[in-house]
Amino acid sequence: MLLLTGGSRGDVEPFAALARAAAAHGHSVRLGVPDNSGADLSGIDAVSLRIDFATLAPQGLSALSAARAFTESIRPAMKRFLATAVREALTFAPDLIVYHPKVLSAPLVADALGVPHVLVEMVPSVTSTRAFPAPAISRANLGPLNRATYTAVNSAGALFRRELAAARTLLPRPSTPTPTPPSATLLPISPQLLRRPKDWPATVHLTGAWRDEDSHGHDDPALESFIAGGPFLYAGFGSMVGGDPVGRAVAIIESARTIGCRVVAAEGWGGLRVPGSHRTDDVFVAQTVPHGSVLPRATAAIHHGGAGTVHAVARAGIPSIVVPFLADQPFWGQRVHTLGLGPAPIPRKKLTKTRLDAALARMDSFRERAERTGALVRSERGLEYSIRVLESLVR
């Protein structure tokens, strides 16, 4: 079984959990991953797909910076990434390929090897539905037009037509212009956060989140000492960059102080930057912290609304304040609010101490619902469900 993923930590950790679960069930598993994701890959047969998504994040969110990054950095990196995925598949010769949507060459090489392939949607943005629009395309429910929004998502691969054509040349035999559809689609999403649309095909599975059951410890005595010192907020924006990371950090720390709370600040790829003036005893600063051991002990979490973080906070049973930057994050921020797990999301450009003060003042009103949801999410067995689906395809 070959697993292929791309993206940031939130895209890699679920695949790592699936790799460990599949190996525990007796399968031979290899995991292809991007470089420097920050995910724990211990005990996994992991290979590099020769791409570092952290270096591809445009410095700033302007259209000009994004266009420059696409031409100068992203295209060459994707060419290498898609080709490496093909080479690793041909070398490993798996009986099944499970892949992230970013790995556009995965269906091609699966077809060339004559093995089934399974798509993993970290966000419900590929399989169309009338229930809601594609999360990265529209924030408004368009009713009968919702299905049309998925066309834009599914045509995104056209941006890398040349890079995909280069990957095709590595195949042992010519491939068809259009690959076969996935034998199954897995969404490692909790049904507590998203109800399965009735119009999804039977081959599409909302499995529950993928997480290592024993991934809840850490070996940082300084962090442990800080956590034990009293109430604290978690703040982190994962792989997000752009805007004013110092201003965000200052607003969060000063707002936390108004309610007598300390802060664990995860600076990530640059979404937060705590200045020296605010690196005081009531603030713990790290590039990243283990969600499994930190979040359940936090009072609340302030985060960007990435799918992985939304699930980690929900599992921890604490309220969220979502500060979405882009893509699917407004979708998850609205889900958090609709489900009563936190206040309305605060767009990153509108994040101020005043708005944070108002949101933090309401945290207790969300706590009971968050605790109930956390218990339900923790009872899910998403990995076991997914392994059963995968095993049904290779028997």
Side-chain angles (χ1 to χ4, degrees), residues 124-136:
S125 58
V126 179
T127 303
S128 65
T129 177
R130 288 188 59 170
F132 49 81

Side-chain angles (χ1 to χ4, degrees), residues 200-269:
W200 276 355
T203 55
V204 177
H205 304 270
L206 192 72
T207 68
W210 297 348
R211 180 183 181 275
D212 289 315
E213 290 304 316
D214 59 353
S215 61
H216 53 260
H218 63 260
D219 55 3
D220 186 339
L223 174 58
E224 180 57 36
S225 176
F226 184 88
I227 289 173
F232 69 93
L233 298 173
Y234 166 83
F237 297 104
S239 59
M240 295 299 98
V241 297
D244 181 8
V246 173
R248 279 193 289 272
V250 169
I252 291 168
I253 292 167
E254 293 187 352
S255 188
R257 286 172 177 166
T258 65
I259 60 169
C261 237
R262 301 168 308 134
V263 177
V264 170
E267 293 190 320
W269 289 6

Side-chain angles (χ1 to χ4, degrees), residues 17-266:
L18 181 63
R20 291 190 180 97
H25 278 74
H27 298 281
S28 175
V29 184
R30 179 166 291 172
L31 173 62
V33 295
D35 298 329
N36 303 316
S37 71
D40 176 14
L41 301 176
S42 59
I44 297 173
D45 177 9
V47 294
S48 168
L49 294 182
R50 300 182 61 213
I51 190 170
D52 184 345
F53 283 89
T55 66
L56 302 180
Q59 298 305 304
L61 298 177
S62 71
L64 180 60
S65 64
R68 184 181 299 117
F70 184 79
T71 301
E72 298 177 359
S73 303
I74 296 175
R75 270 197 181 282
M78 284 296 290
K79 181 178 181 179
R80 186 171 61 249
F81 172 59
L82 299 180
T84 303
V86 169
R87 292 191 184 97
E88 291 296 340
L90 295 176
T91 299
F92 190 58
D95 55 6
L96 176 69
I97 295 178
V98 183
Y99 65 100
H100 188 288
K102 286 187 176 74
V103 192
L104 300 169
S105 53
L108 299 177
V109 70
D111 286 350
L113 292 170
V115 301
H117 56 93
V118 174
L119 174 66
V120 176
E121 294 185 49
M122 310 303 295
V123 177
S125 58
V126 179
T127 303
S128 65
T129 177
R130 288 188 59 170
F132 49 81
I137 302 300
S138 174
R139 300 183 189 182
N141 192 319
L142 304 176
L145 298 179
N146 281 338
R147 278 188 177 276
T149 64
Y150 292 82
T151 303
V153 175
N154 290 319
S155 64
L159 293 171
F160 299 104
R161 188 181 297 109
R162 286 180 293 175
E163 291 73 21
L164 201 53
R168 284 178 187 272
T169 65
L170 303 174
L171 299 175
R173 61 173 184 256
S175 62
T176 58
T178 303
T180 60
S183 298
T185 297
L186 304 177
L187 290 93
I189 295 171
S190 170
Q192 303 304 320
L193 301 182
L194 183 71
R195 180 176 297 179
R196 186 188 189 280
K198 294 179 180 179
D199 58 351
W200 276 355
T203 55
V204 177
H205 304 270
L206 192 72
T207 68
W210 297 348
R211 180 183 181 275
D212 289 315
E213 290 304 316
D214 59 353
S215 61
H216 53 260
H218 63 260
D219 55 3
D220 186 339
L223 174 58
E224 180 57 36
S225 176
F226 184 88
I227 289 173
F232 69 93
L233 298 173
Y234 166 83
F237 297 104
S239 59
M240 295 299 98
V241 297
D244 181 8
V246 173
R248 279 193 289 272
V250 169
I252 291 168
I253 292 167
E254 293 187 352
S255 188
R257 286 172 177 166
T258 65
I259 60 169
C261 237
R262 301 168 308 134
V263 177
V264 170

